[in-house]
């Protein structure tokens, strides 16, 4: 699935990359990109996230995920093996790990008694799968093959370059004698259990392959059990269990991404979505990727509160440059998307509209491949938005019509906000045009603030209050080098 058009404007592409990585091993990015229109599905995901916040549920799922990763590694090694018996042994090992993963998850998840219908459904499926003929046969045949190979005992005699393989006839074991001979060379005492180094997953060399082939000739009945197991259970993975292993990473990866925020005292909450909201309440919310970056750099995260009560539908955010206006607009967009896919959201308390669509309009560089200028392109895009949006849509606009004159920008912006008002959609408008904040009853003014003792210092707090009328003039003065200090410097020169 292609990423939604609003993703990059809202920095959700950064969140996606940070959460799932560039490769997306488990192919769960579509879950992050695709908003849900079904409230029941949204609530199902929210309940699963809540379950996974419990230590016992999370431990059971983490253990299962770890075991299934081993299963996939073993199967991959089996497919790469050049020697038939080597591949069959890795295939059997994968089946051993798989059975253990299923049995352990069934027991631990059942004991945890998850509250979500999603995880309860998995427990019910595992119960039925555990009692199925297919799984019982797999476990029986697995044990038979493991037992057959465990009973194989052979000896190796090495005489120069000649290696001979034969049956083991109670020849003496020189392991203890060799260890005693070399014990005096040890720098420190080592636990004997640590001396066993597990074999890696690399292919057998030619000597090892030859020894294995000779051993199979000496014990044909034992290796026939292994061969029969691989024929009968060439594909032994349960599709539902495999699907669970894949999709649960959507939840685990996102929770891992949020974890540092909670550890640093930032609130994360389950949002309340309304099909036809007459009000929205976003308490102590913050920009998600920015907060993750700030926490990593040990910097403070600024939170803001936004409310809309009928007939209010449009936030007009003004104030000085670099004061947090665009960040708040992005935050509102992020919250609506994350809520629509059933994820916890950054904030203390969030009650928002369950949108049917989201639109963003951020300043773009002129596209030289078209004949349209920047203003024309912007008008075409905005016309398309207001023509398709509904009363349940969210429209986030950042610095509309900055390429034209102030008078024209004000006129065009008012026309756009009037259309949004008529639709009844929720709008967020970042602007220098203070007049837009008092256009009608649907508009609400929010202003990014500065330190009262030093106007050059931004607080990044955006408060609900009337526009002060100075934001645009000050921004223009900074843009063209006409601030008081800059003019005095020129006059002295």
């Amino acid at each position: 699935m292609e990423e939604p058009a609003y993703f990059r404007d809202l920095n959700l592409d950064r969140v996606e990359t940070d959460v799932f990585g560039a490769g997306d091993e488990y192919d769960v990015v579509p879950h992050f990109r695709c908003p849900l229109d079904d409230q029941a599905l949204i609530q199902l995901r929210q309940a699963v996230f809540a379950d996974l916040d419990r230590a016992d549920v999370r431990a059971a799922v983490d253990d299962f995920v770890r075991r299934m990763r081993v299963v996939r590694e073993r199967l991959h090694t089996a497919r790469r093996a050049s020697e038939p018996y080597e591949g069959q042994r890795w295939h059997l090992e994968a089946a051993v790990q798989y059975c253990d993963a299923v049995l352990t998850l069934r027991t631990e998840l059942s004991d945890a008694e998850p509250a979500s219908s999603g995880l309860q459904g998995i427990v019910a499926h595992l119960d039925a799968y555990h009692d199925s003929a297919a799984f019982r046969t797999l476990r029986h045949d697995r044990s038979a093959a493991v037992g057959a190979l465990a009973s194989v005992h052979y000896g190796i005699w090495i005489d120069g370059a000649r290696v001979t393989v034969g049956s083991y006839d109670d020849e003496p074991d020189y392991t203890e004698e060799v260890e005693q001979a070399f014990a005096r060379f040890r720098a420190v005492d080592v636990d004997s259990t640590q001396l066993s180094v597990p074999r890696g997953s690399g292919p057998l060399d030619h000597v090892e392959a030859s020894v294995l082939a000779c051993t199979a000739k000496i014990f044909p009945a034992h290796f026939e059990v292994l061969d029969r197991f691989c024929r009968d259970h060439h594909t032994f993975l349960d599709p539902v269990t495999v699907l669970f292993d894949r999709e649960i990473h959507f939840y685990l990866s996102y929770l891992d991404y949020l974890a540092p925020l909670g550890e640093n005292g930032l609130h994360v909450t389950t949002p309340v979505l309304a099909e036809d909201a007459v009000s929205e309440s976003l308490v102590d919310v913050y920009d998600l990727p920015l907060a993750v970056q700030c926490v990593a750099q040990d910097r403070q995260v600024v939170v803001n509160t936004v409310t809309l009560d009928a007939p209010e539908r449009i936030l007009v955010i003004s104030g000085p440059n670099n004061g947090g206006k665009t960040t708040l607009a992005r935050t509102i967009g992020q919250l609506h998307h994350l809520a629509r896919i059933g994820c916890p959201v950054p904030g203390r308390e969030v009650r928002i509209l369950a949108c049917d669509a989201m639109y963003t309009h951020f300043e773009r560089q002129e596209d030289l491949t078209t004949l349209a200028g920047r203003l024309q392109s912007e008008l075409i895009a905005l016309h398309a938005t207001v023509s398709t949006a509904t009363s349940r849509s969210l429209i986030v606009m950042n610095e509309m019509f900055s390429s034209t004159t102030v008078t024209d920008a004000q006129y065009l912006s008012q026309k756009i906000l009037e259309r949004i008002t008529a639709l009844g959609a929720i709008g967020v408008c970042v602007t220098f045009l203070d007049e837009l904040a008092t256009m009608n009853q649907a508009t609400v003014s929010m202003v990014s603030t500065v330190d009262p003792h030093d106007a050059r210092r931004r607080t990044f707090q955006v408060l609900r209050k009337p526009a002060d009328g100075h934001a645009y003039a000050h921004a223009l003065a900074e843009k063209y080098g006409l601030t008081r200090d800059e003019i005095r410097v020129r006059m002295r020169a």
Side-chain angles (χ1 to χ4, degrees), residues 6 53 64 115 163 207 261 319 362 388 425 473 477:
Y6 54 79
D53 259 342
F64 170 75
V163 178
V207 176
L261 303 179
F362 280 51
T388 56

Side-chain angles (χ1 to χ4, degrees), residues 298-319:
D298 198 24
R299 294 190 288 124
Q300 181 183 4
V301 177
V302 177
V303 299
N304 283 290
T305 295
V306 177
T307 58
L308 280 176
D309 294 307
E312 301 165 346
R313 301 297 279 177
I314 302 174
L315 290 173
V316 178
I317 307 174
S318 61

Side-chain angles (χ1 to χ4, degrees), residues 85 149 152-156 164-167 208-223:
Y85 287 125
L149 294 181
V152 172
H153 296 277
Y154 61 93
I156 299 178
T164 304
V165 181
S167 299
E208 293 170 323
S210 298
V211 169
L212 177 58
C214 292
T215 306
K217 292 179 181 179
I218 298 171
F219 301 94
H222 298 72
F223 280 82

